[in-house]
Amino acid sequence: MRTGYKRRQRMGKWLLSAGVAVFIFVDLIPIFFTVITSFKSRDEYVYNVFSIPERWSLENYANLFEAYDVPQMFLSSLTVTVIPIFFIVYFGTMAAFAIGKFEFKGRRIFANMIFPLMSIPSVVMLFPLFRLFSKLNMTNKFGSVIVIYIGLILPFILNMLTSFMSSISSSYLEAAMIDGCGFWQMFHRIILPLLAPALSATTIVGAMWLWNEMLIAFIFLQDEAKRTLVVGLTSMQGLFQLDVPLLMAGATITTVPVILIFVFGQKWFIRGLTAGGVK
Amino acid sequence: MKKIISLLLVAAMSAGLLLGCQKKEEKAEQGQTELTIWWWGEEDVPGSKAWLEQTAEAYEKENPGIKIEMVQQTSDQLVPAWETSVQAGAGADIQFFWTGTYTLMYVWDEENRSLADLTELIPEEEMEHWLGTEGVSWGGQAWAAPWYQVSIIMLYNKELFKSAGLDPDTPPADWDELLAACGKLKESGVIPFENGGMKDGFNTPWMYSTMGIASHDSPKEFIEAAVNEGSFADESNKLWLERLYELNEKGYLNPLTMSNDFPSGRESFLRGESAMGLVTNGQALQWIEDMGGEDKVGIMRIPAYGDGAMAGKQNVQSQAFGIPEFSKNKEEAADFIVFMHQPEQLKSFYELTKNFPADDRFDSDTLSSESEKFLWDYLLNDSTVYPSLYVPSMVHSQGNYAAAQMVLSGSTAKEAAQYVEDIAEEWRKMSPDECEHFKDWAENYIE
Amino acid sequence: MIRVRKDKKRVPYMFMSPALIMISIVFLYPIISVLIDSFFQISGQKRTYTGIQNFRVLLENDLFWKSLINNMKFFICVPILIILGIVFAVLLYNRIPGWKIYRVLLLVPYIFSIAVTGIIFDCILRENGLFNILLEKIGLGHLVQPWLGQTSTAVYAIMAVIVWKEMGFGTMLILARLLSVDESMVEAARLDGAGIFTITRKILLPEAKPVISFYFVLCMINMLSWLFNYVYVMTKGGPVNSTYVMDFYIYQLGVKFVNYGMASALAVVLLIITFLLVGVQAAMQHYVFPDEED
């Protein structure tokens, strides 16, 4: 009797698994479409929208590289992703350390401000910031985007880091204090190393957000020579709207870096994203 | 010790940050004046970028103390970037403007004028040669230097006309003839009229400028419509929507028009799928060449969609460069503007873009083909303004865009026109100052 | 918490300062700026104080109400996302074979940039695009229409894209919470003969309530504040302004209609609505889950 039940249960699980697999397959069709279409010639796409290309072609990528300075755009994206991330994680961990481990006036306020800050759309900050950076003659310069990104993503990062911070035992830190450890030392020799995996998670998730950001990069880096991949793709959409394979090639190139990091760092991704919500 | 190291680390990071700010900048050498130009135009006039770069290089050679930096703007950012620079008091030394309201709104308020007085910077003999200054004139003087003149023209495919049994040498000249021609073209299996992609609405000004003028006698009527209550819903302002509605209802337009975006929607003409299409004059010449020459594709006069005095005229918009009041290099900026208008530069502008520069020193003898001569003649002798520059920008971008889309989605012209009027009402309430200026503009408008 | 000596009271402030400075530059300054600007009519250099006129005009403005209603329409996504999240989280929780891979695969849409997603779906949802072709292939050809190009379907098409993109995140979040549920409770229930539905209802869902409520608020915030990229890339607010949402309207007011006063006023309104929402959530957490640590 029992074995029959177990077998039925296992079969049930396999059935469910198959069902979920089918669902996921359908769910990912748009992504298959994107990649497959990017290898279809424009002429073929006119009559063959749905199936595998009869003739795999790299012409879209060639056209893409010819029409746009893709390496430059890649570098731009890299610049506005990598440079801010270090500051963000460093400043963020410092702040999370303060909020998570110290009692001080205003701590409650800061802790409670994190979520509201996350809910403010960037479009609200857009025009005043543009005015500010115009005055400083910093529009169309990477510095403006870097500074803005640091501030913009900090709340999201803080949200993640404060929950990671609670995993470090206070008594352990107090013991270190008794041993004569200064706070600055504590931060660099205890907190940061202990949080290393959490910081990797935060860095990866933060990098994903920054790489994918459009509005700020769009408004502050209009110069063709400085555009990021995402912004470049958006402007491509208007000019080459009818050339779907070309657009798909652009979409693929823009997303491949993030997908690669995701594939190799899924553990970090999941850990980072979950930290924000599961306390 | 550790503290010092950490401080050094922070310092290094800050240095990195600052370096990021300076990255990829070409610093002007000591003693050089840097002129910054914020411009737009490559979408309407392909080749203008190359010309600007070439002209800037030539100027820098003659004037080694000047370095010119050009920042190309996208359609979405041109106005906000300019507006912000005005509020911030810092920006370009030479600023591109769409004319009409888009320039005048920074001029008509004497106390808050954002553009420098060109008459103090540029000799009158120079300014006399400029064409298309109506769109930038206030108080009897031009406030920006028109750069080029661009028109929305209509091409027709002679071969498709022949296949439909139409005479390839006499394209339709008025509304009835257009309807008849469309009917025959539809039967022959092609899209009769490609009005362009309307998904994002950007094609609206093209239809407004070809159909919308037909029921009016003078640009003044457009300006007045902004001020007078109820005017956008009246007969003369409703006409273009009625025409659009009828063309759509009879199936004479591209069925995919609401799925296509502006830059690529019109390309069905290039592919030979539609018999008539709208395009800018510079691009037209390129298309004619691409499609096999003047035997296959011709330029037609805009059909007279109505009975107004403006019907059938060639719409022309000059787009212009002004000098912001806050610029610290006004004289140098003015000098460069004058340089851009020298005959040699005018000639190379036409060569690179096939668009007419806005200066009467342009030598029209260099025009060789029939089409070019036709366009020049049309421009000089039978042209009028580009009406979307003569209504408040909000009424145009919020009202007209949506109205055209409404009509293409099945609403009646009356409903759509009423929508435009509603937007205009809102504008009148929201911007009483601007309304006052429009009144002044209408009263002082000289034909 | 670390206990700190009296003379070291400044330490936490020092650690907070870099983050605080950046946040002040990027959030505090603009918000104050926007607050002030909302009381002015701004055109070029001219600033005229107009009191609450911008707000009055906004409240009488058709497009504002359309935007607000559209934002509320997008709230429909929230229960859909939550239900999908719960369903898949529970499915994966039961360790059906391959669950780890499924969790990762479900997250892939989330990794894409919203702008890129919008562009891809713009191509797919065209009249001659993949979706319509698939419909025809499975015999539903009569349903073929320009999904993003007509007023009756544009908003819902965008909603579908949002659900597609966000679904994996909810699943992952809820699943993470479920995985930390005390195994012995579930085992005990199983031994008592409880089926999957009962276990879900009586154990898993209550345990997951805090995460679900957090996700609920997160989704609501997304539907209020983070729709711009979708709208900009897929419909630019059209057709006929049918997909206008508040954060997109703010952008249009500033960029297209060049009315910074109104843009600021709308921004203030949006901020008020969002903060009310977040405030309600915080209150809920306080009163509904008094045992949850802050």
Side-chain angles (χ1 to χ4, degrees):
Chain A
M1 255 279 284
R2 265 244 195 99
T3 44
Y5 173 69
K6 275 274 183 220
R7 203 187 304 145
R8 252 182 298 136
Q9 218 191 25
R10 243 184 302 137
M11 243 184 58
K13 286 209 172 150
W14 276 99
L15 236 73
L16 278 178
S17 179
V20 173
V22 167
F23 177 88
I24 291 187
F25 180 78
V26 173
D27 189 44
L28 292 182
I29 285 183
I31 300 179
F32 300 142
F33 171 74
T34 307
V35 178
I36 292 179
T37 310
S38 73
F39 292 109
K40 244 182 230 179
S41 75
R42 184 175 178 178
D43 298 322
E44 192 186 329
Y45 180 74
V46 173
Y47 59 87
N48 176 10
V49 171
F50 168 61
S51 334
I52 308 225
E54 290 163 16
R55 219 192 81 235
W56 293 81
S57 146
L58 284 178
E59 77 176 39
N60 297 309
Y61 290 94
N63 289 343
L64 196 63
F65 276 81
E66 210 185 283
Y68 290 92
D69 190 353
V70 178
Q72 172 60 54
M73 289 176 17
F74 184 84
L75 246 112
S76 295
S77 286
L78 211 63
T79 308
V80 299
T81 301
V82 171
I83 297 187
I85 260 304
F86 287 122
F87 288 95
I88 293 172
V89 176
Y90 193 66
F91 292 166
T93 316
M94 281 170 69
F97 179 43
I99 295 180
K101 292 295 166 203
F102 291 82
E103 278 286 353
F104 60 97
K105 228 186 280 194
R107 175 179 160 266
R108 267 278 142 105
I109 302 179
F110 294 136
N112 286 326
M113 276 312 288
I114 295 180
F115 212 63
L117 284 176
M118 281 166 58
S119 61
I120 301 179
S122 42
V123 81
V124 167
M125 277 85 72
L126 188 64
F127 303 121
L129 283 176
F130 194 63
R131 210 183 313 153
L132 175 68
F133 284 100
S134 288
K135 254 189 221 155
L136 299 173
N137 247 311
M138 270 176 73
T139 50
N140 266 310
K141 302 218 169 103
F142 285 105
S144 59
V145 177
I146 291 174
V147 169
I148 294 179
Y149 274 177
I150 296 176
L152 201 62
I153 303 293
L154 262 175
F156 295 89
I157 302 295
L158 277 176
N159 187 35
M160 289 196 279
L161 287 174
T162 41
S163 81
F164 283 133
M165 191 62 66
S166 55
S167 69
I168 296 186
S169 121
S170 302
S171 31
Y172 181 66
L173 294 175
E174 285 192 343
M177 271 170 67
I178 294 177
D179 282 347
C181 185
F183 290 114
W184 209 230
Q185 270 183 319
M186 187 192 297
F187 182 70
H188 284 101
R189 293 168 116 199
I190 302 181
I191 306 265
L192 285 185
L194 274 182
L195 281 183
L199 293 186
S200 313
T202 315
T203 307
I204 286 187
V205 175
M208 172 191 82
W209 282 329
L210 291 182
W211 183 272
N212 287 340
E213 205 277 337
M214 205 233 357
L215 184 57
I216 300 288
F218 182 47
I219 296 285
F220 284 83
L221 287 178
Q222 315 152 12
D223 198 353
E224 251 182 74
K226 301 206 173 101
R227 286 203 198 140
T228 63
L229 279 173
V230 174
V231 172
L233 185 66
T234 314
S235 66
M236 239 181 82
Q237 183 206 25
L239 293 173
F240 295 104
Q241 196 222 4
L242 293 182
D243 193 347
V244 175
L246 185 68
L247 287 178
M248 295 300 109
T252 310
I253 287 195
T254 309
T255 317
V256 156
V258 191
I259 291 284
L260 281 178
I261 298 188
F262 177 63
V263 164
F264 290 116
Q266 340 152 349
K267 195 168 54 148
W268 301 136
F269 255 108
I270 295 182
R271 191 183 290 198
L273 288 173
T274 340
V278 185
K279 302 223 192 254
Chain B
M1 185 57 204
K2 293 285 161 120
K3 215 181 224 171
I4 300 179
I5 295 185
S6 336
L7 275 165
L8 279 174
L9 209 69
V10 175
M13 284 164 79
S14 316
L17 183 68
L18 283 165
L19 219 67
C21 296
Q22 306 302 351
K23 225 189 245 213
K24 290 173 181 69
E25 300 313 332
E26 280 173 41
K27 304 282 293 160
E29 288 158 24
Q30 294 296 72
Q32 274 195 328
T33 318
E34 193 176 291
L35 277 184
T36 315
I37 306 181
W38 288 8
W39 70 281
W40 183 92
E42 189 69 15
E43 284 102 323
D44 263 4
V45 182
S48 49
K49 180 168 185 193
W51 180 85
L52 265 181
E53 286 169 355
Q54 184 187 309
T55 310
E57 228 183 278
Y59 187 75
E60 282 173 348
K61 240 192 236 156
E62 277 184 30
N63 300 277
I66 310 267
K67 177 119 187 26
I68 300 183
E69 196 205 333
M70 294 180 301
V71 184
Q72 190 180 7
Q73 313 271 310
T74 64
S75 319
D76 251 7
Q77 288 138 15
L78 178 69
V79 175
W82 158 243
E83 272 268 338
T84 314
S85 69
V86 169
Q87 289 171 34
D93 298 296
I94 299 180
Q95 173 73 40
F96 176 96
F97 289 96
W98 294 312
T99 53
T101 17
Y102 296 91
T103 307
L104 293 177
M105 57 188 281
Y106 299 104
V107 170
W108 51 34
D109 188 350
E110 268 188 62
E111 287 158 15
N112 291 295
R113 199 161 268 168
S114 314
L115 286 175
D117 190 345
L118 291 180
T119 55
E120 289 173 11
L121 297 162
I122 300 182
E124 208 182 306
E125 316 90 62
E126 270 295 325
M127 291 175 72
E128 270 172 2
H129 290 289
W130 294 350
L131 294 174
T133 50
E134 325 82 42
V136 292
S137 295
W138 188 260
Q141 63 181 89
W143 288 87
W147 181 15
Y148 53 74
Q149 309 214 274
V150 64
S151 310
I152 310 306
I153 64 169
M154 210 153 139
L155 290 177
Y156 71 107
N157 190 322
K158 293 184 182 170
E159 311 232 302
L160 294 180
F161 263 52
K162 274 191 249 177
S163 317
L166 294 164
D167 179 5
D169 293 320
T170 46
D174 64 27
W175 176 237
D176 296 316
E177 287 179 26
L178 183 68
L179 281 181
C182 283
K184 287 223 179 104
L185 287 164
K186 182 157 187 227
E187 270 168 46
S188 79
V190 293
I191 301 173
F193 185 18
E194 174 59 71
N195 61 319
M198 272 302 291
K199 175 153 167 264
D200 52 7
F202 285 125
N203 208 54
T204 309
W206 288 22
M207 292 181 295
Y208 197 51
S209 64
T210 47
M211 300 182 201
I213 51 175
S215 46
H216 293 277
D217 296 325
S218 140
K220 186 166 167 179
E221 292 175 25
F222 287 97
I223 307 174
E224 281 174 341
V227 184
N228 298 332
E229 270 192 51
S231 34
F232 281 103
D234 74 19
E235 285 307 313
S236 64
N237 283 302
K238 201 174 22 146
L239 185 78
W240 73 287
L241 292 165
E242 283 174 358
R243 297 291 184 247
L244 194 59
Y245 178 83
E246 209 176 322
L247 282 174
N248 188 43
E249 203 216 2
K250 292 200 157 81
Y252 295 156
L253 301 177
N254 187 339
L256 288 178
T257 198
M258 283 299 282
S259 299
N260 288 339
D261 271 343
F262 166 58
S264 31
R266 57 191 125 131
E267 283 175 10
S268 74
F269 185 84
L270 194 57
R271 294 192 298 270
E273 291 162 11
S274 51
M276 291 181 279
L278 295 173
V279 76
T280 59
N281 50 340
Q283 205 169 34
L285 296 170
Q286 185 61 47
W287 281 13
I288 293 178
E289 207 183 295
D290 288 343
M291 289 175 77
E294 287 168 356
D295 295 326
K296 306 241 166 67
V297 175
I299 305 182
M300 56 187 276
R301 291 177 55 89
I302 307 287
Y305 288 89
D307 310 321
M310 287 168 79
K313 280 188 194 273
Q314 176 66 286
N315 59 78
V316 180
Q317 49 168 324
S318 314
Q319 294 171 350
F321 282 118
I323 301 179
E325 183 58 46
F326 56 69
S327 163
K328 304 219 172 21
N329 302 307
K330 295 206 215 1
E331 276 101 23
E332 293 87 344
D335 198 49
F336 182 65
I337 289 184
V338 168
F339 182 77
M340 285 199 275
H341 276 261
Q342 295 317 301
E344 201 181 308
Q345 270 63 48
L346 301 175
K347 181 157 161 248
S348 68
F349 185 80
Y350 188 74
E351 276 167 21
L352 283 172
T353 67
K354 291 285 186 259
N355 261 293
F356 301 118
D359 196 299
D360 64 15
R361 285 169 288 192
F362 171 67
D363 188 3
S364 57
D365 289 336
T366 58
L367 301 176
S368 47
S369 70
E370 280 302 311
S371 318
E372 290 172 294
K373 294 201 195 130
F374 174 78
L375 282 175
W376 181 246
D377 188 59
Y378 204 3
L379 180 90
L380 274 190
N381 298 322
D382 201 13
S383 61
T384 182
V385 303
Y386 196 68
S388 52
L389 303 174
Y390 288 74
V391 294
S393 60
M394 178 177 155
V395 172
H396 179 64
S397 50
Q398 222 182 309
N400 281 348
Y401 278 38
Q405 286 180 330
M406 279 169 80
V407 148
L408 290 173
S409 310
S411 307
T412 63
K414 187 159 165 205
E415 290 168 349
Q418 185 56 46
Y419 183 79
V420 181
E421 176 54 35
D422 289 340
I423 300 288
E425 249 318 288
E426 260 188 61
W427 171 80
R428 290 178 199 125
K429 265 194 280 178
M430 268 166 43
S431 321
D433 286 345
E434 224 185 305
C435 208
E436 275 304 310
H437 292 305
F438 263 79
K439 262 199 211 132
D440 284 338
W441 192 10
E443 276 164 27
N444 296 320
Y445 189 80
I446 311 167
E447 302 296 331
Chain C
M1 293 297 150
I2 311 179
R3 270 167 302 210
V4 179
R5 284 202 327 254
K6 277 279 165 67
D7 61 324
K8 294 273 185 187
K9 276 292 186 204
R10 283 183 309 147
V11 170
Y13 295 106
M14 275 172 42
F15 275 97
M16 289 251 7
S17 47
L20 264 187
I21 294 176
M22 297 313 292
I23 291 185
S24 302
I25 298 177
V26 173
F27 283 96
L28 199 64
Y29 162 72
I31 292 182
I32 295 180
S33 201
V34 154
L35 214 60
I36 297 178
D37 281 349
S38 65
F39 295 108
F40 284 81
Q41 193 190 39
I42 302 173
S43 161
Q45 282 170 310
K46 193 157 121 170
R47 290 171 71 90
T48 349
Y49 178 73
T50 52
I52 59 166
Q53 195 202 338
N54 282 330
F55 293 96
R56 240 186 304 132
V57 172
L58 203 60
L59 289 177
E60 291 171 16
N61 182 320
D62 255 349
L63 204 49
F64 166 70
W65 291 107
K66 197 179 270 190
S67 307
L68 184 63
I69 293 178
N70 274 341
N71 276 109
M72 299 204 305
K73 274 195 200 164
F74 277 97
F75 285 159
I76 300 178
C77 295
V78 181
I80 298 179
L81 283 171
I82 292 183
I83 294 176
L84 281 174
I86 294 178
V87 165
F88 280 96
V90 170
L91 276 176
L92 296 187
Y93 171 71
N94 282 284
R95 311 298 198 302
I96 57 177
W99 69 275
K100 277 203 188 140
I101 304 181
Y102 292 153
R103 177 175 61 169
V104 167
L105 286 179
L106 278 176
L107 264 185
V108 172
Y110 188 75
I111 305 296
F112 277 68
S113 158
I114 298 183
V116 174
T117 310
I119 292 175
I120 295 175
F121 275 92
D122 174 52
C123 293
I124 291 181
L125 291 173
R126 288 189 200 160
E127 216 155 342
N128 49 2
L130 179 72
F131 188 61
N132 281 336
I133 298 215
L134 285 179
L135 281 180
E136 272 179 29
K137 281 224 180 326
I138 61 176
L140 290 175
H142 57 277
L143 286 180
V144 166
Q145 48 198 304
W147 299 93
L148 290 172
Q150 56 186 30
T151 52
S152 49
T153 52
V155 176
Y156 302 102
I158 299 184
M159 275 193 231
V161 177
I162 295 179
V163 169
W164 178 86
K165 190 170 188 310
E166 295 283 320
M167 202 196 93
F169 184 73
T171 307
M172 176 203 73
L173 211 60
I174 300 177
L175 179 60
R177 184 68 169 98
L178 292 182
L179 288 175
S180 65
V181 164
D182 195 355
E183 275 293 325
S184 48
M185 259 201 289
V186 181
E187 264 311 302
R190 282 231 179 90
L191 288 173
D192 279 346
I196 185 68
F197 285 110
T198 330
I199 294 184
T200 309
R201 212 163 23 97
K202 291 243 164 87
I203 304 183
L204 296 180
L205 282 186
E207 285 290 319
K209 222 194 259 183
V211 168
I212 296 181
S213 91
F214 170 79
Y215 186 52
F216 173 78
V217 180
L218 204 68
C219 286
M220 298 282 275
I221 288 176
N222 270 343
M223 298 307 139
L224 278 177
S225 303
W226 297 104
L227 293 179
F228 173 81
N229 278 342
Y230 290 103
V231 173
Y232 183 80
V233 162
M234 287 200 273
T235 57
K236 298 257 183 345
V240 196
N241 299 336
S242 60
T243 53
Y244 256 74
V245 288
M246 284 194 282
D247 60 340
F248 182 74
Y249 192 20
I250 296 177
Y251 177 83
Q252 291 288 82
L253 278 170
V255 167
K256 268 245 156 50
F257 313 144
V258 197
N259 191 335
Y260 291 117
M262 277 252 304
S264 305
L266 183 56
V268 170
V269 170
L270 183 56
L271 283 177
I272 293 177
I273 297 180
T274 327
F275 284 173
L276 276 175
L277 197 71
V278 173
V280 164
Q281 184 263 348
M284 258 173 56
Q285 266 213 328
H286 245 83
Y287 291 115
V288 179
F289 309 110
D291 49 322
E292 291 284 324
E293 206 186 287
D294 211 280

